[in-house]
Amino acid sequence: MSGIRLVGILMCIAGVATGLYAGVWWAFIGGIMDVITEIRADELDAMNIAIGIAKVMFAGAIGSFSAMVLFVPGLALIKA
């Protein structure tokens, strides 16, 4: 296995890990936590609730885009 293929494989693994973190943890779970925290606060801020809801709604797209940033170049390195 050449070094360039190894770098490509590592980039693909890092892309999947980044996509899972950004999509599941930061956007989906973080968005739910943002909304709950804002609802439990003494004063509601509509913008924080809207951002939390948007994070939950677009969690799949955020995760997919984050993964593709590293996965696609890694795949190109593997095929090279």
Side-chain angles (χ1 to χ4, degrees):
M1 179 181 298
S2 67
I4 198 101
R5 275 207 169 135
L6 181 62
V7 171
I9 291 170
L10 291 175
M11 285 180 70
C12 288
I13 293 169
V16 171
T18 302
L20 286 172
Y21 173 77
V24 175
W25 183 254
W26 181 79
F28 188 72
I29 295 173
I32 291 171
M33 289 173 54
D34 290 346
V35 171
I36 291 172
T37 301
E38 195 60 38
I39 289 173
R40 295 182 72 189
D42 292 333
E43 293 183 22
L44 288 177
D45 186 8
M47 181 59 82
N48 288 341
I49 293 175
I51 290 172
I53 291 172
K55 282 169 58 175
V56 171
M57 287 177 53
F58 295 111
I62 291 169
S64 296
F65 180 74
S66 299
M68 291 302 136
V69 168
L70 286 174
F71 191 83
V72 171
L75 194 60
L77 288 176
I78 292 171
K79 291 184 178 182

